[in-house]
Amino acid sequence: RARTAGESLVFYAPELNARAADAMALESRLRRAIDQQEFVLYYQPKVTLADRRICGVEALMRWMEPGQGMVPPGQFIPVLEECGLIGEVGQWALKKALHDQSEWRNAGLHAPRVAVNVSPLQLRRPDFADDIVALVARSSSNELELEITESVIMDNVERNIDALGMVRAAGVSVAVDDFGTGYCSLSYIAKLPVTSLKIDRAFIVGMSSGPEGMAIVSSIIALAHALKLKVVAEGVETEEQARLLHLLRCDEAQGYLFCRPVPAETITALLQRDMPL
Ligand code: C2E
Ligand code: CA
Ligand code: CA
Ligand code: CA
């Protein structure tokens, strides 16, 4: 029997309302999380492939919600963006990362470069570059890096070239994250004021599947070097991948093979131990 519009409205409305209520509940939990400071930065080391020593760390956000355990960023960053809260949390992450870096330095350790992920909405704000420049000027830390995905940079690329140019002029490094997934046109890649390319994990996985997979990774590495950019492999999980990447002259790597994302104190311990990973 064909349902009338009226019937289907009755049938679907409670479900829709439940979903809207879920979204609102999540938003209010996130607002409380900001007040209660429930966000935490974990750090994953980046190593130089030649000696496997820590040369940088990437800050990866976690939400420690009481009673819920650790919530991964894929589950709350998109919601923070939708609610317009990502600016506030993103600014906190930048400050916190610079603070942790200065703690490592104050402890007499060789503080690694610290990379922070930037969301599309943060980059789009008109005062994005000014805020970063002011933040760096105020902090004693020097080696800050921003990771911005290729597709986000390519969206409104002319404006982003200007904004990233300002940030670079303040001594901040810029990495193109998830490189190879966003159809960056080759005519632009040379114009971007960036310092490194991060090869997406999918291509690292693909290396083992045959000569085509190897060809793609070696082309990205050659392109990066021709443009005088550093190249970093993400999601390295096996010795074989690390060996191949080193053979292909990839500069740095990051992945579970070397270290998972860990709390700041664990990075402190790793820096104190000062051993290859
Ligand atoms: P991403 O920037 O591409 O970060 C890499 C992701 O791969 C991280 O997931 C990391 O834990 C994971 N990973 C690292 N090594 C390996 C490996 O060997 N194998 C596999 N399978 N995965 C590995 P995570 O921490 O869940 O973060 C997911 C995404 O959330 C990040 O992707 C980034 O886009 C976003 N994100 C994380 N923290 C922040 C933040 O503070 N701000 C913003 N805007 N986005 C963030
Ligand atoms: Ca990243
Ligand atoms: Ca990435
Ligand atoms: Ca990725």
Side-chain angles (χ1 to χ4, degrees):
R1 183 173 69 93
R3 253 190 230 123
T4 67
E7 268 175 313
S8 53
L9 192 70
V10 172
F11 186 76
Y12 289 113
E15 189 188 299
L16 280 177
N17 283 336
R19 227 182 298 151
D22 275 358
M24 272 168 63
L26 182 54
E27 178 172 344
S28 71
R29 275 160 61 204
L30 283 166
R31 287 187 190 278
R32 197 208 50 215
I34 294 175
D35 288 343
Q36 306 287 316
Q37 304 181 334
E38 292 170 6
F39 296 112
V40 178
L41 289 186
Y42 270 38
Y43 294 94
Q44 186 179 37
K46 295 179 185 174
V47 302
T48 310
L49 270 166
D51 62 7
R52 299 208 180 181
R53 282 173 182 274
I54 299 177
C55 55
V57 292
E58 176 179 5
L60 293 160
M61 207 180 296
R62 304 288 181 256
W63 177 15
M64 305 297 188
E65 189 178 26
Q68 301 291 315
M70 193 169 80
V71 187
Q75 284 176 32
F76 65 88
I77 301 259
V79 188
L80 287 175
E81 296 212 327
E82 278 166 34
C83 310
L85 295 171
I86 192 68
E88 194 177 333
V89 179
Q91 197 66 13
W92 168 82
L94 283 161
K95 281 191 194 139
K96 175 68 174 146
L98 288 174
H99 171 79
D100 286 342
Q101 189 188 45
S102 69
E103 296 274 279
W104 292 319
R105 209 184 18 253
N106 292 342
L109 299 165
H110 183 76
R113 186 180 75 235
V114 51
V116 178
N117 289 285
V118 174
S119 93
L121 285 178
Q122 278 176 282
L123 180 64
R124 235 175 270 153
R125 287 189 31 245
D127 37 11
F128 166 79
D130 290 336
D131 285 356
I132 299 276
V133 172
L135 196 68
V136 173
R138 260 186 281 125
S139 97
S140 56
S141 278
N142 41 1
E143 289 219 83
L144 174 67
E145 180 169 56
L146 304 179
E147 293 195 6
I148 310 177
T149 61
E150 182 186 11
S151 51
V152 168
I153 294 181
M154 290 316 290
D155 171 48
N156 204 345
V157 64
E158 298 290 355
R159 182 201 164 264
N160 291 337
I161 286 176
D162 291 345
L164 295 178
M166 281 175 65
V167 163
R168 290 272 300 111
V172 175
S173 307
V174 179
V176 183
D177 207 351
D178 299 346
F179 185 77
T181 63
Y183 311 103
C184 189
S185 90
L186 291 178
S187 56
Y188 272 116
I189 186 69
K191 286 196 224 164
L192 297 179
V194 299
T195 39
S196 65
L197 303 184
K198 287 189 84 174
I199 310 175
D200 191 70
R201 190 174 84 87
F203 298 109
I204 306 305
V205 171
M207 275 197 307
S208 325
S209 66
E212 295 89 354
M214 284 288 285
I216 292 174
V217 172
S218 80
S219 310
I220 297 177
I221 294 169
L223 173 67
H225 287 162
L227 297 171
K228 305 230 169 2
L229 301 177
K230 214 173 47 187
V231 59
V232 185
E234 68 175 26
V236 176
E237 293 183 350
T238 68
E239 280 295 343
E240 178 68 359
Q241 289 167 344
R243 191 184 64 81
L244 291 172
L245 287 162
H246 185 45
L247 217 65
L248 295 174
R249 305 262 182 278
C250 183
D251 303 294
E252 296 176 8
Q254 183 181 358
Y256 296 166
L257 174 65
F258 307 106
C259 189
R260 296 209 166 226
V262 291
E265 307 81 67
T266 308
I267 297 292
T268 310
L270 288 173
L271 293 174
Q272 278 163 346
R273 205 178 56 173
D274 191 25
M275 297 273 286
L277 294 183

Short mmCIF file of all heavy atoms in Angstrom, two decimals, residues 23-52:
data_model
loop_
_atom_site.label_atom_id
_atom_site.label_comp_id
_atom_site.label_asym_id
_atom_site.label_seq_id
_atom_site.Cartn_x
_atom_site.Cartn_y
_atom_site.Cartn_z
N ALA A 23 22.58 15.31 17.93
CA ALA A 23 23.55 16.31 17.49
C ALA A 23 23.64 17.44 18.51
O ALA A 23 24.72 17.92 18.84
CB ALA A 23 23.17 16.86 16.12
N MET A 24 22.48 17.85 19.04
CA MET A 24 22.48 18.93 20.03
C MET A 24 23.15 18.49 21.32
O MET A 24 23.87 19.25 21.95
CB MET A 24 21.07 19.42 20.29
CG MET A 24 20.67 20.52 19.31
SD MET A 24 18.92 20.89 19.36
CE MET A 24 18.71 21.47 21.02
N ALA A 25 22.90 17.22 21.69
CA ALA A 25 23.52 16.70 22.90
C ALA A 25 25.03 16.67 22.74
O ALA A 25 25.78 17.05 23.65
CB ALA A 25 22.98 15.30 23.20
N LEU A 26 25.49 16.23 21.56
CA LEU A 26 26.94 16.18 21.31
C LEU A 26 27.54 17.57 21.36
O LEU A 26 28.60 17.79 21.95
CB LEU A 26 27.21 15.52 19.95
CG LEU A 26 28.66 15.34 19.56
CD1 LEU A 26 29.44 14.59 20.64
CD2 LEU A 26 28.77 14.58 18.23
N GLU A 27 26.81 18.54 20.77
CA GLU A 27 27.31 19.91 20.80
C GLU A 27 27.45 20.42 22.23
O GLU A 27 28.45 21.05 22.59
CB GLU A 27 26.39 20.83 19.99
CG GLU A 27 26.86 22.27 20.03
CD GLU A 27 26.09 23.19 19.08
OE1 GLU A 27 25.40 22.67 18.18
OE2 GLU A 27 26.20 24.41 19.27
N SER A 28 26.45 20.11 23.08
CA SER A 28 26.54 20.64 24.44
C SER A 28 27.63 19.89 25.22
O SER A 28 28.30 20.48 26.07
CB SER A 28 25.20 20.62 25.16
OG SER A 28 24.83 19.32 25.47
N ARG A 29 27.85 18.60 24.90
CA ARG A 29 28.96 17.87 25.53
C ARG A 29 30.30 18.50 25.12
O ARG A 29 31.23 18.59 25.94
CB ARG A 29 28.95 16.40 25.11
CG ARG A 29 28.03 15.53 25.95
CD ARG A 29 27.66 14.23 25.23
NE ARG A 29 28.81 13.40 24.92
CZ ARG A 29 28.85 12.50 23.93
NH1 ARG A 29 27.80 12.31 23.15
NH2 ARG A 29 29.91 11.77 23.74
N LEU A 30 30.38 18.92 23.85
CA LEU A 30 31.63 19.53 23.37
C LEU A 30 31.87 20.89 24.01
O LEU A 30 33.00 21.25 24.34
CB LEU A 30 31.63 19.63 21.85
CG LEU A 30 31.89 18.30 21.13
CD1 LEU A 30 31.53 18.38 19.66
CD2 LEU A 30 33.35 17.87 21.29
N ARG A 31 30.77 21.65 24.20
CA ARG A 31 30.92 22.95 24.86
C ARG A 31 31.41 22.75 26.30
O ARG A 31 32.26 23.49 26.79
CB ARG A 31 29.60 23.72 24.87
CG ARG A 31 29.24 24.25 23.49
CD ARG A 31 28.02 25.16 23.54
NE ARG A 31 27.57 25.46 22.19
CZ ARG A 31 28.10 26.39 21.41
NH1 ARG A 31 29.09 27.15 21.86
NH2 ARG A 31 27.65 26.57 20.19
N ARG A 32 30.86 21.73 26.94
CA ARG A 32 31.29 21.44 28.31
C ARG A 32 32.76 20.98 28.31
O ARG A 32 33.54 21.35 29.18
CB ARG A 32 30.40 20.36 28.92
CG ARG A 32 30.49 20.29 30.44
CD ARG A 32 30.19 18.89 30.95
NE ARG A 32 30.98 17.91 30.22
CZ ARG A 32 30.58 16.69 29.91
NH1 ARG A 32 29.38 16.29 30.23
NH2 ARG A 32 31.36 15.87 29.24
N ALA A 33 33.11 20.19 27.27
CA ALA A 33 34.50 19.71 27.17
C ALA A 33 35.49 20.87 27.09
O ALA A 33 36.59 20.81 27.65
CB ALA A 33 34.65 18.80 25.95
N ILE A 34 35.08 21.95 26.41
CA ILE A 34 35.95 23.12 26.32
C ILE A 34 36.09 23.76 27.71
O ILE A 34 37.19 24.02 28.17
CB ILE A 34 35.41 24.14 25.30
CG1 ILE A 34 35.45 23.54 23.89
CG2 ILE A 34 36.19 25.45 25.36
CD1 ILE A 34 34.84 24.42 22.81
N ASP A 35 34.94 23.96 28.39
CA ASP A 35 34.96 24.55 29.73
C ASP A 35 35.80 23.72 30.70
O ASP A 35 36.56 24.25 31.50
CB ASP A 35 33.54 24.65 30.30
CG ASP A 35 32.75 25.74 29.60
OD1 ASP A 35 33.39 26.58 28.94
OD2 ASP A 35 31.51 25.73 29.71
N GLN A 36 35.61 22.39 30.63
CA GLN A 36 36.25 21.49 31.59
C GLN A 36 37.67 21.09 31.16
O GLN A 36 38.29 20.27 31.82
CB GLN A 36 35.41 20.22 31.77
CG GLN A 36 33.95 20.47 32.14
CD GLN A 36 33.81 20.94 33.58
OE1 GLN A 36 34.43 20.40 34.48
NE2 GLN A 36 33.01 21.97 33.79
N GLN A 37 38.10 21.60 30.01
CA GLN A 37 39.43 21.28 29.49
C GLN A 37 39.64 19.78 29.35
O GLN A 37 40.58 19.21 29.89
CB GLN A 37 40.51 21.90 30.39
CG GLN A 37 40.29 23.40 30.52
CD GLN A 37 41.33 24.07 31.37
OE1 GLN A 37 41.91 23.46 32.24
NE2 GLN A 37 41.55 25.35 31.12
N GLU A 38 38.74 19.15 28.61
CA GLU A 38 38.83 17.71 28.42
C GLU A 38 39.63 17.32 27.18
O GLU A 38 39.83 16.14 26.91
CB GLU A 38 37.41 17.10 28.31
CG GLU A 38 36.65 17.17 29.63
CD GLU A 38 35.17 16.80 29.51
OE1 GLU A 38 34.73 16.38 28.43
OE2 GLU A 38 34.46 16.94 30.52
N PHE A 39 40.07 18.31 26.40
CA PHE A 39 40.89 17.98 25.22
C PHE A 39 42.36 17.84 25.62
O PHE A 39 42.84 18.54 26.51
CB PHE A 39 40.74 19.05 24.14
CG PHE A 39 39.34 19.14 23.61
CD1 PHE A 39 38.55 20.24 23.86
CD2 PHE A 39 38.80 18.08 22.88
CE1 PHE A 39 37.24 20.31 23.39
CE2 PHE A 39 37.50 18.14 22.40
CZ PHE A 39 36.72 19.27 22.66
N VAL A 40 43.01 16.89 24.97
CA VAL A 40 44.41 16.59 25.27
C VAL A 40 45.16 16.48 23.96
O VAL A 40 44.59 16.02 22.96
CB VAL A 40 44.50 15.23 26.03
CG1 VAL A 40 45.94 14.87 26.32
CG2 VAL A 40 43.68 15.26 27.30
N LEU A 41 46.41 16.90 23.94
CA LEU A 41 47.23 16.67 22.76
C LEU A 41 48.12 15.46 22.98
O LEU A 41 48.85 15.40 23.97
CB LEU A 41 48.10 17.89 22.44
CG LEU A 41 47.41 19.14 21.91
CD1 LEU A 41 48.44 20.19 21.51
CD2 LEU A 41 46.50 18.83 20.72
N TYR A 42 48.01 14.50 22.07
CA TYR A 42 48.98 13.42 22.00
C TYR A 42 50.00 13.84 20.95
O TYR A 42 49.73 14.74 20.15
CB TYR A 42 48.29 12.10 21.61
CG TYR A 42 47.80 11.30 22.80
CD1 TYR A 42 47.26 11.92 23.92
CD2 TYR A 42 47.90 9.90 22.80
CE1 TYR A 42 46.82 11.17 25.00
CE2 TYR A 42 47.46 9.15 23.89
CZ TYR A 42 46.93 9.79 24.99
OH TYR A 42 46.49 9.05 26.05
N TYR A 43 51.15 13.19 20.96
CA TYR A 43 52.18 13.52 19.98
C TYR A 43 52.72 12.25 19.34
O TYR A 43 52.96 11.26 20.04
CB TYR A 43 53.34 14.27 20.64
CG TYR A 43 52.95 15.64 21.15
CD1 TYR A 43 52.54 15.82 22.48
CD2 TYR A 43 52.96 16.74 20.31
CE1 TYR A 43 52.15 17.06 22.95
CE2 TYR A 43 52.58 18.00 20.77
CZ TYR A 43 52.18 18.15 22.09
OH TYR A 43 51.80 19.38 22.55
N GLN A 44 52.88 12.29 18.02
CA GLN A 44 53.51 11.16 17.34
C GLN A 44 54.84 11.63 16.75
O GLN A 44 54.88 12.60 15.99
CB GLN A 44 52.61 10.61 16.23
CG GLN A 44 53.21 9.34 15.62
CD GLN A 44 52.36 8.75 14.52
OE1 GLN A 44 51.75 9.48 13.73
NE2 GLN A 44 52.30 7.43 14.46
N PRO A 45 55.93 10.93 17.10
CA PRO A 45 57.24 11.33 16.57
C PRO A 45 57.33 11.18 15.06
O PRO A 45 56.72 10.29 14.47
CB PRO A 45 58.21 10.34 17.25
CG PRO A 45 57.50 9.84 18.45
CD PRO A 45 56.04 9.83 18.08
N LYS A 46 58.11 12.08 14.46
CA LYS A 46 58.57 11.92 13.07
C LYS A 46 60.05 11.64 13.19
O LYS A 46 60.73 12.30 13.98
CB LYS A 46 58.38 13.22 12.29
CG LYS A 46 56.94 13.63 12.12
CD LYS A 46 56.87 14.95 11.35
CE LYS A 46 55.42 15.41 11.28
NZ LYS A 46 55.27 16.74 10.69
N VAL A 47 60.55 10.67 12.43
CA VAL A 47 61.98 10.37 12.50
C VAL A 47 62.66 10.66 11.18
O VAL A 47 62.03 10.62 10.11
CB VAL A 47 62.25 8.90 12.90
CG1 VAL A 47 61.62 8.56 14.25
CG2 VAL A 47 61.74 7.93 11.82
N THR A 48 63.94 10.97 11.25
CA THR A 48 64.78 11.06 10.06
C THR A 48 65.06 9.62 9.63
O THR A 48 65.51 8.82 10.45
CB THR A 48 66.11 11.76 10.42
OG1 THR A 48 65.79 12.97 11.12
CG2 THR A 48 66.91 12.10 9.18
N LEU A 49 64.80 9.29 8.37
CA LEU A 49 64.94 7.89 7.96
C LEU A 49 66.39 7.41 8.01
O LEU A 49 66.65 6.23 8.21
CB LEU A 49 64.34 7.67 6.56
CG LEU A 49 62.85 7.30 6.59
CD1 LEU A 49 62.23 7.44 5.21
CD2 LEU A 49 62.62 5.90 7.14
N ALA A 50 67.33 8.34 7.85
CA ALA A 50 68.74 7.95 7.85
C ALA A 50 69.18 7.39 9.21
O ALA A 50 69.96 6.44 9.26
CB ALA A 50 69.61 9.13 7.45
N ASP A 51 68.67 7.96 10.31
CA ASP A 51 69.14 7.49 11.62
C ASP A 51 68.01 7.13 12.60
O ASP A 51 68.27 6.73 13.73
CB ASP A 51 70.06 8.54 12.25
CG ASP A 51 69.35 9.86 12.50
OD1 ASP A 51 68.11 9.92 12.31
OD2 ASP A 51 70.03 10.84 12.88
N ARG A 52 66.77 7.30 12.16
CA ARG A 52 65.60 6.97 12.98
C ARG A 52 65.55 7.73 14.31
O ARG A 52 65.02 7.25 15.30
CB ARG A 52 65.54 5.47 13.24
CG ARG A 52 65.42 4.70 11.95
CD ARG A 52 64.71 3.41 12.16
NE ARG A 52 64.61 2.70 10.89
CZ ARG A 52 64.01 1.54 10.73
NH1 ARG A 52 63.47 0.93 11.77
NH2 ARG A 52 63.95 0.97 9.57
#
